[in-house]
Amino acid sequence: MGEDTQHKDWRTEGVSVIRGDQMDTNTAQTPGMHRAAAINHARVGAQKLWAGTVTIFPKAKTGAHHHGALESVIYIVRGHARMRWGDQLEFTAEAGPGDFIYVPPYVPHQEMNASNDEPLECVLVRSDNEAVVINLDIAAVEKPETVYWVDPIHKHPHPHD
């Protein structure tokens, strides 16, 4: 069954709990947001994951960026997120508390706080043990196209669009 577990010291090589006040802000940053790492290789020996929190202040937005080959999952804890993505950030979608956002590798994107008075607080998980952030200089389109989540369960809110 893979690695030999008979000689592991589970006390020191088992489960790790990272308290909310023990987050590491010494991680890759993008203008307009505040990232803090909880789980990475340096902190807990993670092999394939990076996890932490992101706060975007009211009315703020990040610069355009992507995360190289990494996949990202963003879970909205509090607030209202507006995501823009594409070569000119020409697409947009919104998410609120309890929603998940998936960002595939190399997708240029920008996170925005859609609220004027409430911070946007998110949990972030990436598919590698180190944060990769490539900040981009993009001339964004003025009016992005709204992309709705439409499938057999979720009907289009404006069927004639």
Side-chain angles (χ1 to χ4, degrees):
M1 259 270 305
E3 189 178 333
D4 178 16
T5 58
Q6 290 181 341
H7 303 291
K8 287 270 189 190
D9 179 353
W10 293 126
R11 182 181 178 283
T12 58
E13 297 183 59
V15 172
S16 298
V17 175
I18 307 302
R19 305 265 178 227
D21 61 359
Q22 297 175 329
M23 307 283 275
D24 182 3
T25 57
N26 184 24
T27 185
Q29 300 290 345
T30 293
M33 69 171 20
H34 176 74
R35 291 190 184 103
I39 308 299
N40 60 19
H41 186 267
R43 302 205 76 196
V44 298
Q47 298 299 302
K48 298 177 182 176
L49 290 174
W50 184 99
T53 59
V54 168
T55 301
I56 301 178
F57 300 103
K59 302 180 187 175
K61 60 187 177 183
T62 71
H65 61 282
H66 70 73
H67 302 287
L70 277 57
E71 296 176 288
S72 297
V73 173
I74 303 166
Y75 175 76
I76 311 299
V77 176
R78 185 161 74 107
H80 193 72
R82 180 175 298 125
M83 294 288 289
R84 290 184 67 177
W85 71 93
D87 288 330
Q88 294 182 288
L89 304 177
E90 64 267 36
F91 304 107
T92 186
E94 299 200 358
D99 293 344
F100 286 85
I101 299 169
Y102 169 68
V103 182
Y106 299 105
V107 174
H109 63 283
Q110 174 185 50
E111 289 99 344
M112 308 168 89
N113 185 339
S115 170
N116 290 333
D117 45 32
E118 179 181 35
L120 171 61
E121 297 179 4
C122 308
V123 172
L124 174 58
V125 179
R126 293 221 186 88
S127 62
D128 197 350
N129 59 19
E130 296 299 335
V132 174
V133 177
I134 291 86
N135 293 314
L136 303 170
D137 186 10
I138 288 180
V141 296
E142 283 300 309
K143 286 191 172 262
E145 173 190 343
T146 300
V147 177
Y148 297 103
W149 180 18
V150 178
D151 62 20
I153 297 168
H154 302 86
K155 302 301 178 200
H156 196 297
H158 310 289
H160 302 292
D161 284 359

